[in-house]
Amino acid sequence: MTHQKSPSKQGADLAQQFREQHSLGKEPIHDITSLLRLLPADFMVLELPQNLDALALRDPSTDAVIVGIGTSSSPYRQRLTIAHEIGHILSGDISKSSQSFVCEKSAPEETRANTFARCLLCPADALPPFQSSDPLETLSAVVRHFQVSPAVAAYQLEYAGIFTAEQVQDFQKIQAPALASKFGWKSSYDRARAISQLSQSSERLVADAYAAYANGQVSLATVAFAEQVSLEEASASAEGARALQALTTDTNADIFADLDSFFSDGD
């Protein structure tokens, strides 16, 4: 008799498979946006309504998926949100939705995505070397190294057999800025927080928008919207792209002209 895996087990296994597939080993994911290029979806960081961390939209006619991640003053929470949405995509949750996908906290899909996010960002089997005689120092080291919240770090440390359930409960209310100040890495945290408050467009979406604009298929306003910049900035970027294309074309033309000249010298 076979037993179906629990949502938590599914999420943990999916995270391990993803790390193995992309040769991530046990290392921290310093730039989580680099993972987004591996997914069949466009991620954007932008201002969302209050209390909404993310929103996924799917075009039912093309199956194209766009995921909006809210700007945030809590960088490690934002990283967890991105990883959470990656979990939904890999599990097929978004592709099964109609046009929009909103997380429902009590659904098993949420448990799976939450576990995936924790295990992707902070694999439990990588944590034993961080254990010290001071539990708070251990917690700080894991939070800083893997860029996760203290709550996530504590939970993973319990999963690794390093923390007890009582310690996890005690550390639930600790905030990353407090740990960073106490152990001297507040400047690193502040840099991460400054970045998480910035809007960020999908690289693929912006590249496609500029290509479509160059072919006369969309307006400059569409390009500006995709890149989340002003019309003036989009216009300047478009001019730069045209100049680069012209330079590339001229260079290629010169190369072929030189080759023709070389091969014709022996005639």
Side-chain angles (χ1 to χ4, degrees):
M1 180 178 179
T2 57
H3 297 279
Q4 186 177 7
K5 294 179 182 178
S6 69
S8 291
K9 177 62 174 173
Q10 292 174 11
D13 288 349
L14 188 62
Q16 182 178 357
Q17 292 167 10
F18 188 82
R19 275 188 164 270
E20 290 175 354
Q21 180 183 359
H22 299 292
S23 302
L24 298 176
K26 300 178 183 179
E27 296 303 310
I29 300 172
H30 295 295
D31 179 14
I32 194 170
T33 59
S34 63
L35 300 184
L36 305 183
R37 305 185 189 102
L38 306 174
L39 301 170
D42 291 298
F43 278 72
M44 304 174 68
V45 179
L46 69 169
E47 289 189 18
L48 292 178
Q50 192 174 8
N51 299 323
L52 182 62
D53 293 330
L55 176 65
L57 302 174
R58 183 179 71 87
D59 185 336
S61 61
T62 64
D63 277 338
V65 173
I66 295 180
V67 180
I69 303 294
T71 53
S72 176
S73 60
S74 301
Y76 300 164
R77 177 176 175 175
Q78 186 188 69
R79 282 168 53 83
L80 190 73
T81 298
I82 294 173
H84 179 100
E85 296 305 317
I86 291 175
H88 278 311
I89 291 174
L90 295 178
S91 300
D93 299 333
I94 295 177
S95 62
K96 298 172 186 174
S97 63
S98 54
Q99 292 185 355
S100 62
F101 181 84
V102 179
C103 297
E104 298 180 9
K105 293 183 179 179
S106 60
E109 292 83 2
E110 290 307 292
T111 300
R112 180 173 58 206
N114 283 334
T115 306
F116 170 85
R118 288 196 305 268
C119 294
L120 176 68
L121 294 178
C122 186
D125 58 355
L127 302 185
F130 293 89
Q131 186 173 9
S132 70
S133 58
D134 179 359
L136 199 59
E137 184 178 2
T138 299
L139 183 68
S140 174
V142 172
V143 168
R144 181 183 186 183
H145 190 72
F146 291 98
Q147 298 178 63
V148 293
S149 70
V152 168
Y155 190 93
Q156 292 301 96
L157 283 162
E158 180 191 12
Y159 190 70
I162 298 173
F163 277 5
T164 65
E166 290 74 18
Q167 285 176 311
V168 173
Q169 188 66 31
D170 291 341
F171 292 151
Q172 283 299 307
K173 295 182 179 180
I174 294 179
Q175 299 296 316
L179 276 179
S181 295
K182 176 175 176 58
F183 290 97
W185 50 276
K186 184 66 161 46
S187 60
S188 297
Y189 180 83
D190 287 342
R191 283 195 295 271
R193 180 164 54 187
I195 293 173
S196 67
Q197 292 174 314
L198 301 175
S199 297
Q200 181 175 325
S201 300
S202 161
E203 294 180 11
R204 179 169 50 195
L205 192 61
V206 171
D208 288 347
Y210 274 106
Y213 175 71
N215 292 328
Q217 296 171 304
V218 300
S219 68
L220 190 62
T222 300
V223 175
F225 176 78
E227 199 172 14
Q228 302 182 62
V229 297
S230 66
L231 278 173
E232 291 75 14
E233 290 175 293
S235 178
S237 296
E239 287 295 329
R242 277 195 290 266
L244 183 61
Q245 180 62 35
L247 177 62
T248 304
T249 302
D250 290 343
T251 301
N252 289 338
D254 289 341
I255 291 174
F256 288 120
D258 291 342
L259 286 174
D260 288 340
S261 175
F262 175 79
F263 286 112
S264 64
D265 284 345
D267 292 342

